[in-house]
C-alpha cells in the first residue's frame, strides 16, 4: 500500500557549498527502521533525478531516529554563485517528504494509527 | 564554581531579530549572551565595506544590540560573546567605546578583542611557504583565483575567547571564530574543562550548534506540528543551562512563544550536518551519533551522553573571491494557462539571446508558484493560477549581464499575454563573491587577545 513519507517523518535541510543536506526524522521511534529500509541511497537518488548533478550519501543516526542525506550538486554552485530561488537548500526537506513509499498493510496501519488507508 | 551556567542565544545571523538580545537578558536569569553574526559569505561582504571605509568591516547591528543590553552588562554582570568583529574587530571595539562614552559607561566595559584569524595580508607568504589552500570541494589550488581573492579567514576556536574572559572582558569580540566556540568557550571557562576533556568539549560544541541559529531550535522554521506551535510572534530564543559534567538543557524564558521539544531540537541538530560521526572543530571532533535527547519539562530538553575525540591538526579557512556577475529578473503571468505563458516567455527570451549573440555561463529558469523549489516532484504546474517566471544568468562579462537586464521588460508588450509584475524596473547586476573553503595547518595561525577599555 502507498503512503507518503510526510506521514512518517519530518525533516530540515540546509547547505554546505553546492551540497544540500536533508535530515529526515521519524515521527515515531517505530518508523525509524522503515526509513532505514526504504530510504536507500539509490531510492533517494532516483527521487531527485534531474534535480541534482552529483551523488547521494547517507548517514544513520539511530540515537535521533534520523537519517542524514547529502545531495551533492544540488544548488547550482551554491551560496552566492547560485541562480536558484532555493540557493541554500532550505526546502529540499519537504521535496524529499513528497516521496511515496510502498509498504505492507500492517505498517501503513501503524502510520495511520490503526486503520490502513491507501495514499 | 557555579552549578549551572546559562548561555542565551540572541542572534542567529546578521539580519536576525533586533529585539531578541534585549528579550534574552530581561526575560530571566542568564550569564552569557551569545550573538552569532557570521555566515559563509558574510566575511566577504564585510571586506568590501572595509575597502570603501577602513572604519567598517564589522557587523554594525552589534552596536545596537550592545546598546539594548547595556544595563544588564554594566549592572548585572551579563557577559556578551559575539563574532561581530568580522574583518575589523578593533573597528568594532572603537565603535563600542564610542557608544560607552555616549552612554556614560566608559570604564565599565572591558572589551576582549580577538584577532589573528585574518590571513589576507599573509596569503602570498603562506602560499610561498607551501600551503596550497586547495579548495576542499574541487581540490583546485588557491593560485587559480589568487588575484581575485577578497578575504581569507581561519576559523578559530575557544582558546582566545577563554583567555579574554580570564582577563576580565565583559564583552568579547571575535572575527571568524567558529559559531559553536562562542557557546563552548564560556562553559569551558566557567567549569574549568581541560583542553583534552573531549566529551565535555564536544558537549559544549553541540550546545553551541543547537542555539547558534537562534530560534531555529525553539519553534522557528520548525516543520514538526508547526501549526500548533504557539505565539511565534512572541518567540523565545533558546538558552543553554549547562552543568559541569557536560550535560545541559535547552530552555527558553517563561511567558515566551515558540516551542522547545525533542523534535524541534532534533531538526536543528541535523541542520547543515555533514558526516554526523565527525563534526570537526578547532577544539574537538564531536560525534552527533552519541547525543541523547529527552523532554525534561515543558519547553525543556535534556541533552546528554555526548562523546568527543581529539580534533585534527588543521583549521578551516573561509576564502572569498570575485567570481563574475549575475542578475535575476521576474515577470508574473496570470490565468488562464499561466504556466504555458511563462514557459512561452522563457522560450522567447532564450531565442532572443541566441539571435542577439548573448552567451552566458549559466541560464536558470524557474516557475515560482509551480515548480521553482521542488522541480518535477511538484508536477507540471498546469493548474497554477498565476506563475512568476524567474530567470537568472551568470557571466564573467559584466556588459553581457547588463544586456540581459534590458531584455525582460520588452516582453510586457512583445511577448505572451496577461503579464504583470514588472514595476520594480530592470533587474540589478550583482558581482558574485564566491566561497572557497580550504584547510591550513593549525601551527601557522596564532590568535591574539587584547583588552580595551
Amino acid at each position: 500500500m502507498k503512503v507518503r513519507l510526510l506521514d512518517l517523518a519530518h525533516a530540515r535541510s540546509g547547505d554546505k557549498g553546492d551540497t544540500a543536506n536533508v535530515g529526515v526524522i521519524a515521527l515515531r521511534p517505530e518508523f525509524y527502521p522503515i526509513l532505514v529500509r526504504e530510504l536507500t541511497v539509490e531510492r533517494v537518488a532516483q527521487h531527485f533525478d534531474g534535480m541534482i548533478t552529483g551523488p547521494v550519501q547517507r548517514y544513520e543516526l539511530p540515537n535521533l531516529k534520523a537519517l542524514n542525506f547529502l545531495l551533492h550538486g544540488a544548488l547550482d554552485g551554491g551560496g552566492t554563485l547560485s541562480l536558484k530561488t532555493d540557493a541554500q537548500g532550505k526546502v529540499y526537506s519537504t521535496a524529499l517528504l513528497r516521496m511515496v513509499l510502498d509498504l505492507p498493510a500492517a505498517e501503513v496501519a501503524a502510520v495511520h494509527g490503526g486503520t490502513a488507508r491507501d495514499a | 564554581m557555579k552549578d549551572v551556567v546559562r548561555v542565551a542565544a540572541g542572534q542567529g545571523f546578521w539580519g536576525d531579530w533586533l529585539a531578541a538580545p534585549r528579550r534574552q537578558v530581561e526575560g530571566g536569569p542568564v550569564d552569557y549572551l551569545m550573538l552569532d553574526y557570521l555566515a559563509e559569505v558574510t566575511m566577504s561582504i564585510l571586506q568590501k565595506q572595509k575597502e570603501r571605509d577602513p572604519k567598517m568591516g564589522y557587523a554594525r547591528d552589534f552596536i545596537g544590540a550592545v546598546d539594548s543590553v547595556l544595563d544588564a552588562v554594566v549592572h548585572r554582570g551579563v557577559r556578551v560573546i559575539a563574532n561581530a568583529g568580522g574583518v575589523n574587530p578593533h573597528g568594532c571595539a572603537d565603535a563600542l567605546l564610542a557608544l560607552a562614552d555616549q552612554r556614560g559607561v566608559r570604564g565599565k566595559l572591558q572589551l576582549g578583542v580577538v584577532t589573528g584569524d585574518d590571513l589576507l595580508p599573509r596569503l602570498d607568504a603562506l602560499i610561498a611557504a607551501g600551503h596550497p589552500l586547495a579548495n576542499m570541494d574541487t581540490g583546485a589550488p588557491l593560485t587559480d583565483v589568487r588575484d581575485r581573492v577578497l578575504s581569507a579567514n581561519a576559523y578559530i576556536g575557544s582558546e582566545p575567547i577563554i583567555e579574554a574572559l580570564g582577563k576580565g572582558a565583559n564583552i568579547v569580540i571575535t572575527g571568524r571564530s567558529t559559531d559553536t566556540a562562542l557557546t563552548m568557550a564560556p562553559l569551558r571557562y566557567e567549569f574549568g574543562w581541560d583542553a583534552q576533556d573531549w566529551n565535555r568539549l564536544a558537549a559544549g560544541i553541540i550546545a553551541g550548534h543547537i542555539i547558534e541559529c537562534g530560534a531555529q531550535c525553539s519553534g522557528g522554521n520548525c516543520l514538526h506540528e508547526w501549526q500548533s506551535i504557539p505565539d511565534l510572534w512572541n518567540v523565545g530564543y533558546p538558552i543553554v543551562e549547562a552543568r559541569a559534567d557536560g550535560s545541559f538543557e535547552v530552555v527558553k524564558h517563561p511567558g515566551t512563544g515558540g516551542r522547545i521539544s525533542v523534535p524541534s531540537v532534533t531538526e536543528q541538530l541535523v541542520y547543515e550536518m555533514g558526516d554526523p560521526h565527525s563534526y570537526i572543530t578547532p577544539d574537538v571532533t564531536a560525534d552527533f551519533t552519541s547525543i541523547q535527547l529527552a523532554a525534561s519539562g515543558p519547553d525543556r530538553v535534556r541533552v546528554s551522553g555526548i562523546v568527543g575525540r581529539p580534533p585534527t591538526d588543521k583549521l578551516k579557512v573561509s576564502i572569498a573571491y570575485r567570481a563574475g556577475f549575475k542578475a535575476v529578473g521576474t515577470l508574473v503571468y496570470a490565468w488562464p494557462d499561466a504556466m504555458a505563458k511563462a514557459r512561452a516567455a522563457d522560450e522567447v527570451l532564450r531565442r532572443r539571446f541566441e539571435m542577439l549573440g548573448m552567451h552566458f555561463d549559466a541560464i536558470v529558469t524557474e516557475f515560482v508558484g509551480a515548480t521553482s523549489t521542488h522541480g518535477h516532484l511538484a508536477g507540471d504546474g498546469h493548474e497554477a493560477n498565476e506563475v512568476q517566471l524567474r530567470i537568472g544568468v551568470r557571466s564573467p562579462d559584466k556588459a553581457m549581464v547588463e544586456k540581459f537586464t534590458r531584455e525582460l521588460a520588452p516582453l510586457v508588450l512583445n511577448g505572451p499575454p496577461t503579464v504583470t509584475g514588472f514595476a520594480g524596473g530592470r533587474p540589478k547586476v550583482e558581482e558574485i563573491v564566491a566561497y572557497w573553503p580550504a584547510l591550513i595547518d593549525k601551527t601557522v595561525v596564532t590568535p591574539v587577545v587584547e583588552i580595551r577599555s
Side-chain angles (χ1 to χ4, degrees), chain A residues 10 12 49 63 68 80 83 85 90 98, chain B residues 216 267 271 274 326 366 374 376 390 433:
Chain A
H10 61 117
R12 179 171 293 176
D49 185 35
N63 55 321
N68 185 37
T80 50
L83 298 171
T85 298
K90 299 276 187 187
R98 283 177 178 272
Chain B
Q216 209 179 209
E267 283 195 21
Y271 179 65
K326 68 176 179 181
E366 292 180 331
H374 286 181
H376 61 78
R390 182 181 185 279
V433 176

mmCIF file with all atom_site columns, all heavy atoms in Angstrom, chain A residues 10 12 49 63 68 80 83 85 90 98, chain B residues 216 267 271 274 326 366 374 376 390 433:
data_model
loop_
_atom_site.group_PDB
_atom_site.id
_atom_site.type_symbol
_atom_site.label_atom_id
_atom_site.label_alt_id
_atom_site.label_comp_id
_atom_site.label_asym_id
_atom_site.label_entity_id
_atom_site.label_seq_id
_atom_site.pdbx_PDB_ins_code
_atom_site.Cartn_x
_atom_site.Cartn_y
_atom_site.Cartn_z
_atom_site.occupancy
_atom_site.B_iso_or_equiv
_atom_site.pdbx_formal_charge
_atom_site.auth_seq_id
_atom_site.auth_comp_id
_atom_site.auth_asym_id
_atom_site.auth_atom_id
_atom_site.pdbx_PDB_model_num
ATOM 1   N N   . HIS A 1 10  ? 9.503  13.962 9.733   1.00 0.00 ? 10  HIS A N   1
ATOM 2   C CA  . HIS A 1 10  ? 9.674  15.391 9.483   1.00 0.00 ? 10  HIS A CA  1
ATOM 3   C C   . HIS A 1 10  ? 11.122 15.604 9.074   1.00 0.00 ? 10  HIS A C   1
ATOM 4   O O   . HIS A 1 10  ? 11.925 14.655 9.097   1.00 0.00 ? 10  HIS A O   1
ATOM 5   C CB  . HIS A 1 10  ? 9.228  16.243 10.676  1.00 0.00 ? 10  HIS A CB  1
ATOM 6   C CG  . HIS A 1 10  ? 9.950  16.034 11.965  1.00 0.00 ? 10  HIS A CG  1
ATOM 7   N ND1 . HIS A 1 10  ? 10.699 17.013 12.576  1.00 0.00 ? 10  HIS A ND1 1
ATOM 8   C CD2 . HIS A 1 10  ? 10.039 14.948 12.780  1.00 0.00 ? 10  HIS A CD2 1
ATOM 9   C CE1 . HIS A 1 10  ? 11.189 16.560 13.720  1.00 0.00 ? 10  HIS A CE1 1
ATOM 10  N NE2 . HIS A 1 10  ? 10.808 15.303 13.858  1.00 0.00 ? 10  HIS A NE2 1
ATOM 11  N N   . ARG A 1 12  ? 14.536 18.651 8.065   1.00 0.00 ? 12  ARG A N   1
ATOM 12  C CA  . ARG A 1 12  ? 15.086 20.008 7.884   1.00 0.00 ? 12  ARG A CA  1
ATOM 13  C C   . ARG A 1 12  ? 16.280 19.892 6.941   1.00 0.00 ? 12  ARG A C   1
ATOM 14  O O   . ARG A 1 12  ? 17.018 18.911 6.989   1.00 0.00 ? 12  ARG A O   1
ATOM 15  C CB  . ARG A 1 12  ? 15.519 20.624 9.208   1.00 0.00 ? 12  ARG A CB  1
ATOM 16  C CG  . ARG A 1 12  ? 16.118 22.023 9.038   1.00 0.00 ? 12  ARG A CG  1
ATOM 17  C CD  . ARG A 1 12  ? 16.348 22.741 10.341  1.00 0.00 ? 12  ARG A CD  1
ATOM 18  N NE  . ARG A 1 12  ? 15.085 23.070 10.996  1.00 0.00 ? 12  ARG A NE  1
ATOM 19  C CZ  . ARG A 1 12  ? 14.995 23.643 12.192  1.00 0.00 ? 12  ARG A CZ  1
ATOM 20  N NH1 . ARG A 1 12  ? 16.087 23.945 12.872  1.00 0.00 ? 12  ARG A NH1 1
ATOM 21  N NH2 . ARG A 1 12  ? 13.815 23.907 12.715  1.00 0.00 ? 12  ARG A NH2 1
ATOM 22  N N   . ASP A 1 49  ? 16.277 12.615 -9.307  1.00 0.00 ? 49  ASP A N   1
ATOM 23  C CA  . ASP A 1 49  ? 16.830 12.530 -10.658 1.00 0.00 ? 49  ASP A CA  1
ATOM 24  C C   . ASP A 1 49  ? 16.458 13.788 -11.453 1.00 0.00 ? 49  ASP A C   1
ATOM 25  O O   . ASP A 1 49  ? 15.298 14.194 -11.471 1.00 0.00 ? 49  ASP A O   1
ATOM 26  C CB  . ASP A 1 49  ? 16.268 11.275 -11.358 1.00 0.00 ? 49  ASP A CB  1
ATOM 27  C CG  . ASP A 1 49  ? 16.905 11.061 -12.725 1.00 0.00 ? 49  ASP A CG  1
ATOM 28  O OD1 . ASP A 1 49  ? 18.111 11.371 -12.851 1.00 0.00 ? 49  ASP A OD1 1
ATOM 29  O OD2 . ASP A 1 49  ? 16.207 10.621 -13.650 1.00 0.00 ? 49  ASP A OD2 1
ATOM 30  N N   . ASN A 1 63  ? 20.316 7.182  17.312  1.00 0.00 ? 63  ASN A N   1
ATOM 31  C CA  . ASN A 1 63  ? 20.029 7.871  18.578  1.00 0.00 ? 63  ASN A CA  1
ATOM 32  C C   . ASN A 1 63  ? 18.976 8.957  18.411  1.00 0.00 ? 63  ASN A C   1
ATOM 33  O O   . ASN A 1 63  ? 18.205 9.230  19.325  1.00 0.00 ? 63  ASN A O   1
ATOM 34  C CB  . ASN A 1 63  ? 21.317 8.477  19.153  1.00 0.00 ? 63  ASN A CB  1
ATOM 35  C CG  . ASN A 1 63  ? 22.026 9.400  18.163  1.00 0.00 ? 63  ASN A CG  1
ATOM 36  O OD1 . ASN A 1 63  ? 22.086 9.125  16.968  1.00 0.00 ? 63  ASN A OD1 1
ATOM 37  N ND2 . ASN A 1 63  ? 22.546 10.497 18.651  1.00 0.00 ? 63  ASN A ND2 1
ATOM 38  N N   . ASN A 1 68  ? 20.628 11.209 7.679   1.00 0.00 ? 68  ASN A N   1
ATOM 39  C CA  . ASN A 1 68  ? 21.114 12.446 7.070   1.00 0.00 ? 68  ASN A CA  1
ATOM 40  C C   . ASN A 1 68  ? 21.566 12.144 5.646   1.00 0.00 ? 68  ASN A C   1
ATOM 41  O O   . ASN A 1 68  ? 22.400 11.277 5.424   1.00 0.00 ? 68  ASN A O   1
ATOM 42  C CB  . ASN A 1 68  ? 22.279 13.025 7.874   1.00 0.00 ? 68  ASN A CB  1
ATOM 43  C CG  . ASN A 1 68  ? 22.713 14.377 7.331   1.00 0.00 ? 68  ASN A CG  1
ATOM 44  O OD1 . ASN A 1 68  ? 21.878 15.170 6.907   1.00 0.00 ? 68  ASN A OD1 1
ATOM 45  N ND2 . ASN A 1 68  ? 24.014 14.631 7.324   1.00 0.00 ? 68  ASN A ND2 1
ATOM 46  N N   . THR A 1 80  ? 26.492 32.206 -3.109  1.00 0.00 ? 80  THR A N   1
ATOM 47  C CA  . THR A 1 80  ? 26.266 33.400 -3.915  1.00 0.00 ? 80  THR A CA  1
ATOM 48  C C   . THR A 1 80  ? 26.313 33.119 -5.412  1.00 0.00 ? 80  THR A C   1
ATOM 49  O O   . THR A 1 80  ? 25.807 33.907 -6.198  1.00 0.00 ? 80  THR A O   1
ATOM 50  C CB  . THR A 1 80  ? 27.329 34.444 -3.584  1.00 0.00 ? 80  THR A CB  1
ATOM 51  O OG1 . THR A 1 80  ? 28.607 33.801 -3.662  1.00 0.00 ? 80  THR A OG1 1
ATOM 52  C CG2 . THR A 1 80  ? 27.131 34.996 -2.185  1.00 0.00 ? 80  THR A CG2 1
ATOM 53  N N   . LEU A 1 83  ? 21.898 30.658 -8.991  1.00 0.00 ? 83  LEU A N   1
ATOM 54  C CA  . LEU A 1 83  ? 20.814 31.479 -9.516  1.00 0.00 ? 83  LEU A CA  1
ATOM 55  C C   . LEU A 1 83  ? 19.447 30.973 -9.052  1.00 0.00 ? 83  LEU A C   1
ATOM 56  O O   . LEU A 1 83  ? 18.418 31.495 -9.433  1.00 0.00 ? 83  LEU A O   1
ATOM 57  C CB  . LEU A 1 83  ? 20.867 31.492 -11.047 1.00 0.00 ? 83  LEU A CB  1
ATOM 58  C CG  . LEU A 1 83  ? 22.147 32.087 -11.661 1.00 0.00 ? 83  LEU A CG  1
ATOM 59  C CD1 . LEU A 1 83  ? 22.181 31.834 -13.164 1.00 0.00 ? 83  LEU A CD1 1
ATOM 60  C CD2 . LEU A 1 83  ? 22.260 33.570 -11.367 1.00 0.00 ? 83  LEU A CD2 1
ATOM 61  N N   . THR A 1 85  ? 16.178 30.013 -6.661  1.00 0.00 ? 85  THR A N   1
ATOM 62  C CA  . THR A 1 85  ? 15.412 30.575 -5.545  1.00 0.00 ? 85  THR A CA  1
ATOM 63  C C   . THR A 1 85  ? 15.895 29.961 -4.233  1.00 0.00 ? 85  THR A C   1
ATOM 64  O O   . THR A 1 85  ? 16.153 30.661 -3.259  1.00 0.00 ? 85  THR A O   1
ATOM 65  C CB  . THR A 1 85  ? 13.909 30.253 -5.715  1.00 0.00 ? 85  THR A CB  1
ATOM 66  O OG1 . THR A 1 85  ? 13.449 30.862 -6.920  1.00 0.00 ? 85  THR A OG1 1
ATOM 67  C CG2 . THR A 1 85  ? 13.096 30.758 -4.534  1.00 0.00 ? 85  THR A CG2 1
ATOM 68  N N   . LYS A 1 90  ? 17.104 25.236 1.489   1.00 0.00 ? 90  LYS A N   1
ATOM 69  C CA  . LYS A 1 90  ? 16.246 25.276 2.683   1.00 0.00 ? 90  LYS A CA  1
ATOM 70  C C   . LYS A 1 90  ? 15.000 24.402 2.559   1.00 0.00 ? 90  LYS A C   1
ATOM 71  O O   . LYS A 1 90  ? 14.446 23.997 3.580   1.00 0.00 ? 90  LYS A O   1
ATOM 72  C CB  . LYS A 1 90  ? 15.806 26.719 2.958   1.00 0.00 ? 90  LYS A CB  1
ATOM 73  C CG  . LYS A 1 90  ? 16.942 27.680 3.242   1.00 0.00 ? 90  LYS A CG  1
ATOM 74  C CD  . LYS A 1 90  ? 17.355 27.643 4.683   1.00 0.00 ? 90  LYS A CD  1
ATOM 75  C CE  . LYS A 1 90  ? 18.379 28.737 4.986   1.00 0.00 ? 90  LYS A CE  1
ATOM 76  N NZ  . LYS A 1 90  ? 18.920 28.594 6.352   1.00 0.00 ? 90  LYS A NZ  1
ATOM 77  N N   . ARG A 1 98  ? 7.972  14.421 -0.165  1.00 0.00 ? 98  ARG A N   1
ATOM 78  C CA  . ARG A 1 98  ? 6.969  14.118 -1.195  1.00 0.00 ? 98  ARG A CA  1
ATOM 79  C C   . ARG A 1 98  ? 7.025  12.657 -1.641  1.00 0.00 ? 98  ARG A C   1
ATOM 80  O O   . ARG A 1 98  ? 6.113  12.175 -2.312  1.00 0.00 ? 98  ARG A O   1
ATOM 81  C CB  . ARG A 1 98  ? 7.215  14.980 -2.429  1.00 0.00 ? 98  ARG A CB  1
ATOM 82  C CG  . ARG A 1 98  ? 6.750  16.415 -2.314  1.00 0.00 ? 98  ARG A CG  1
ATOM 83  C CD  . ARG A 1 98  ? 7.130  17.146 -3.581  1.00 0.00 ? 98  ARG A CD  1
ATOM 84  N NE  . ARG A 1 98  ? 6.678  18.529 -3.597  1.00 0.00 ? 98  ARG A NE  1
ATOM 85  C CZ  . ARG A 1 98  ? 5.469  18.922 -4.034  1.00 0.00 ? 98  ARG A CZ  1
ATOM 86  N NH1 . ARG A 1 98  ? 4.608  18.025 -4.484  1.00 0.00 ? 98  ARG A NH1 1
ATOM 87  N NH2 . ARG A 1 98  ? 5.136  20.189 -4.022  1.00 0.00 ? 98  ARG A NH2 1
ATOM 88  N N   . GLN B 2 216 ? 15.734 28.928 15.617  1.00 0.00 ? 216 GLN B N   1
ATOM 89  C CA  . GLN B 2 216 ? 15.531 27.755 14.767  1.00 0.00 ? 216 GLN B CA  1
ATOM 90  C C   . GLN B 2 216 ? 15.500 26.445 15.574  1.00 0.00 ? 216 GLN B C   1
ATOM 91  O O   . GLN B 2 216 ? 15.181 25.398 15.041  1.00 0.00 ? 216 GLN B O   1
ATOM 92  C CB  . GLN B 2 216 ? 16.589 27.685 13.651  1.00 0.00 ? 216 GLN B CB  1
ATOM 93  C CG  . GLN B 2 216 ? 16.046 26.986 12.411  1.00 0.00 ? 216 GLN B CG  1
ATOM 94  C CD  . GLN B 2 216 ? 16.985 26.875 11.230  1.00 0.00 ? 216 GLN B CD  1
ATOM 95  O OE1 . GLN B 2 216 ? 16.520 26.848 10.105  1.00 0.00 ? 216 GLN B OE1 1
ATOM 96  N NE2 . GLN B 2 216 ? 18.266 26.776 11.466  1.00 0.00 ? 216 GLN B NE2 1
ATOM 97  N N   . GLU B 2 267 ? 15.471 18.748 14.802  1.00 0.00 ? 267 GLU B N   1
ATOM 98  C CA  . GLU B 2 267 ? 15.538 19.432 13.499  1.00 0.00 ? 267 GLU B CA  1
ATOM 99  C C   . GLU B 2 267 ? 16.779 20.328 13.434  1.00 0.00 ? 267 GLU B C   1
ATOM 100 O O   . GLU B 2 267 ? 17.469 20.387 12.415  1.00 0.00 ? 267 GLU B O   1
ATOM 101 C CB  . GLU B 2 267 ? 14.259 20.252 13.234  1.00 0.00 ? 267 GLU B CB  1
ATOM 102 C CG  . GLU B 2 267 ? 13.083 19.393 12.821  1.00 0.00 ? 267 GLU B CG  1
ATOM 103 C CD  . GLU B 2 267 ? 11.928 20.199 12.218  1.00 0.00 ? 267 GLU B CD  1
ATOM 104 O OE1 . GLU B 2 267 ? 12.151 21.331 11.747  1.00 0.00 ? 267 GLU B OE1 1
ATOM 105 O OE2 . GLU B 2 267 ? 10.789 19.687 12.233  1.00 0.00 ? 267 GLU B OE2 1
ATOM 106 N N   . TYR B 2 271 ? 20.512 20.191 11.032  1.00 0.00 ? 271 TYR B N   1
ATOM 107 C CA  . TYR B 2 271 ? 20.662 21.318 10.105  1.00 0.00 ? 271 TYR B CA  1
ATOM 108 C C   . TYR B 2 271 ? 22.124 21.497 9.692   1.00 0.00 ? 271 TYR B C   1
ATOM 109 O O   . TYR B 2 271 ? 23.001 21.556 10.541  1.00 0.00 ? 271 TYR B O   1
ATOM 110 C CB  . TYR B 2 271 ? 20.127 22.596 10.773  1.00 0.00 ? 271 TYR B CB  1
ATOM 111 C CG  . TYR B 2 271 ? 20.254 23.829 9.918   1.00 0.00 ? 271 TYR B CG  1
ATOM 112 C CD1 . TYR B 2 271 ? 19.551 23.946 8.724   1.00 0.00 ? 271 TYR B CD1 1
ATOM 113 C CD2 . TYR B 2 271 ? 21.071 24.874 10.293  1.00 0.00 ? 271 TYR B CD2 1
ATOM 114 C CE1 . TYR B 2 271 ? 19.662 25.073 7.946   1.00 0.00 ? 271 TYR B CE1 1
ATOM 115 C CE2 . TYR B 2 271 ? 21.190 26.013 9.515   1.00 0.00 ? 271 TYR B CE2 1
ATOM 116 C CZ  . TYR B 2 271 ? 20.486 26.105 8.337   1.00 0.00 ? 271 TYR B CZ  1
ATOM 117 O OH  . TYR B 2 271 ? 20.606 27.227 7.561   1.00 0.00 ? 271 TYR B OH  1
ATOM 118 N N   . GLY B 2 274 ? 26.975 17.339 8.092   1.00 0.00 ? 274 GLY B N   1
ATOM 119 C CA  . GLY B 2 274 ? 27.719 16.519 7.134   1.00 0.00 ? 274 GLY B CA  1
ATOM 120 C C   . GLY B 2 274 ? 27.769 15.097 7.655   1.00 0.00 ? 274 GLY B C   1
ATOM 121 O O   . GLY B 2 274 ? 26.732 14.467 7.864   1.00 0.00 ? 274 GLY B O   1
ATOM 122 N N   . LYS B 2 326 ? 26.091 38.368 -11.972 1.00 0.00 ? 326 LYS B N   1
ATOM 123 C CA  . LYS B 2 326 ? 24.807 37.696 -12.184 1.00 0.00 ? 326 LYS B CA  1
ATOM 124 C C   . LYS B 2 326 ? 23.676 38.702 -12.091 1.00 0.00 ? 326 LYS B C   1
ATOM 125 O O   . LYS B 2 326 ? 23.849 39.805 -11.535 1.00 0.00 ? 326 LYS B O   1
ATOM 126 C CB  . LYS B 2 326 ? 24.608 36.575 -11.151 1.00 0.00 ? 326 LYS B CB  1
ATOM 127 C CG  . LYS B 2 326 ? 24.423 37.064 -9.724  1.00 0.00 ? 326 LYS B CG  1
ATOM 128 C CD  . LYS B 2 326 ? 24.125 35.904 -8.779  1.00 0.00 ? 326 LYS B CD  1
ATOM 129 C CE  . LYS B 2 326 ? 23.978 36.413 -7.348  1.00 0.00 ? 326 LYS B CE  1
ATOM 130 N NZ  . LYS B 2 326 ? 23.713 35.328 -6.385  1.00 0.00 ? 326 LYS B NZ  1
ATOM 131 N N   . GLU B 2 366 ? 13.127 29.416 -13.590 1.00 0.00 ? 366 GLU B N   1
ATOM 132 C CA  . GLU B 2 366 ? 12.248 28.770 -12.609 1.00 0.00 ? 366 GLU B CA  1
ATOM 133 C C   . GLU B 2 366 ? 10.834 29.335 -12.755 1.00 0.00 ? 366 GLU B C   1
ATOM 134 O O   . GLU B 2 366 ? 10.662 30.465 -13.228 1.00 0.00 ? 366 GLU B O   1
ATOM 135 C CB  . GLU B 2 366 ? 12.742 29.021 -11.179 1.00 0.00 ? 366 GLU B CB  1
ATOM 136 C CG  . GLU B 2 366 ? 14.052 28.317 -10.878 1.00 0.00 ? 366 GLU B CG  1
ATOM 137 C CD  . GLU B 2 366 ? 14.542 28.576 -9.459  1.00 0.00 ? 366 GLU B CD  1
ATOM 138 O OE1 . GLU B 2 366 ? 14.244 29.650 -8.900  1.00 0.00 ? 366 GLU B OE1 1
ATOM 139 O OE2 . GLU B 2 366 ? 15.214 27.689 -8.914  1.00 0.00 ? 366 GLU B OE2 1
ATOM 140 N N   . HIS B 2 374 ? 10.542 22.673 -5.870  1.00 0.00 ? 374 HIS B N   1
ATOM 141 C CA  . HIS B 2 374 ? 10.502 21.207 -5.838  1.00 0.00 ? 374 HIS B CA  1
ATOM 142 C C   . HIS B 2 374 ? 10.573 20.568 -7.222  1.00 0.00 ? 374 HIS B C   1
ATOM 143 O O   . HIS B 2 374 ? 10.385 19.360 -7.347  1.00 0.00 ? 374 HIS B O   1
ATOM 144 C CB  . HIS B 2 374 ? 9.260  20.719 -5.078  1.00 0.00 ? 374 HIS B CB  1
ATOM 145 C CG  . HIS B 2 374 ? 9.384  20.905 -3.594  1.00 0.00 ? 374 HIS B CG  1
ATOM 146 N ND1 . HIS B 2 374 ? 8.405  20.529 -2.717  1.00 0.00 ? 374 HIS B ND1 1
ATOM 147 C CD2 . HIS B 2 374 ? 10.379 21.417 -2.839  1.00 0.00 ? 374 HIS B CD2 1
ATOM 148 C CE1 . HIS B 2 374 ? 8.792  20.813 -1.469  1.00 0.00 ? 374 HIS B CE1 1
ATOM 149 N NE2 . HIS B 2 374 ? 9.981  21.359 -1.535  1.00 0.00 ? 374 HIS B NE2 1
ATOM 150 N N   . HIS B 2 376 ? 10.278 18.884 -10.790 1.00 0.00 ? 376 HIS B N   1
ATOM 151 C CA  . HIS B 2 376 ? 9.266  17.986 -11.355 1.00 0.00 ? 376 HIS B CA  1
ATOM 152 C C   . HIS B 2 376 ? 8.507  17.222 -10.287 1.00 0.00 ? 376 HIS B C   1
ATOM 153 O O   . HIS B 2 376 ? 7.436  16.669 -10.533 1.00 0.00 ? 376 HIS B O   1
ATOM 154 C CB  . HIS B 2 376 ? 9.909  17.022 -12.360 1.00 0.00 ? 376 HIS B CB  1
ATOM 155 C CG  . HIS B 2 376 ? 10.958 16.133 -11.754 1.00 0.00 ? 376 HIS B CG  1
ATOM 156 N ND1 . HIS B 2 376 ? 10.644 15.032 -11.007 1.00 0.00 ? 376 HIS B ND1 1
ATOM 157 C CD2 . HIS B 2 376 ? 12.314 16.203 -11.776 1.00 0.00 ? 376 HIS B CD2 1
ATOM 158 C CE1 . HIS B 2 376 ? 11.755 14.442 -10.597 1.00 0.00 ? 376 HIS B CE1 1
ATOM 159 N NE2 . HIS B 2 376 ? 12.786 15.138 -11.047 1.00 0.00 ? 376 HIS B NE2 1
ATOM 160 N N   . ARG B 2 390 ? 10.946 33.352 -13.392 1.00 0.00 ? 390 ARG B N   1
ATOM 161 C CA  . ARG B 2 390 ? 12.140 33.886 -12.733 1.00 0.00 ? 390 ARG B CA  1
ATOM 162 C C   . ARG B 2 390 ? 13.334 33.380 -13.510 1.00 0.00 ? 390 ARG B C   1
ATOM 163 O O   . ARG B 2 390 ? 13.569 32.175 -13.587 1.00 0.00 ? 390 ARG B O   1
ATOM 164 C CB  . ARG B 2 390 ? 12.167 33.403 -11.282 1.00 0.00 ? 390 ARG B CB  1
ATOM 165 C CG  . ARG B 2 390 ? 13.336 33.937 -10.452 1.00 0.00 ? 390 ARG B CG  1
ATOM 166 C CD  . ARG B 2 390 ? 13.263 33.355 -9.041  1.00 0.00 ? 390 ARG B CD  1
ATOM 167 N NE  . ARG B 2 390 ? 14.263 33.903 -8.148  1.00 0.00 ? 390 ARG B NE  1
ATOM 168 C CZ  . ARG B 2 390 ? 15.524 33.505 -8.094  1.00 0.00 ? 390 ARG B CZ  1
ATOM 169 N NH1 . ARG B 2 390 ? 15.968 32.547 -8.895  1.00 0.00 ? 390 ARG B NH1 1
ATOM 170 N NH2 . ARG B 2 390 ? 16.363 34.050 -7.233  1.00 0.00 ? 390 ARG B NH2 1
ATOM 171 N N   . VAL B 2 433 ? 30.483 37.173 -5.262  1.00 0.00 ? 433 VAL B N   1
ATOM 172 C CA  . VAL B 2 433 ? 31.625 36.892 -4.392  1.00 0.00 ? 433 VAL B CA  1
ATOM 173 C C   . VAL B 2 433 ? 31.437 35.462 -3.907  1.00 0.00 ? 433 VAL B C   1
ATOM 174 O O   . VAL B 2 433 ? 30.523 35.171 -3.147  1.00 0.00 ? 433 VAL B O   1
ATOM 175 C CB  . VAL B 2 433 ? 31.681 37.881 -3.219  1.00 0.00 ? 433 VAL B CB  1
ATOM 176 C CG1 . VAL B 2 433 ? 32.816 37.517 -2.282  1.00 0.00 ? 433 VAL B CG1 1
ATOM 177 C CG2 . VAL B 2 433 ? 31.865 39.296 -3.749  1.00 0.00 ? 433 VAL B CG2 1
#
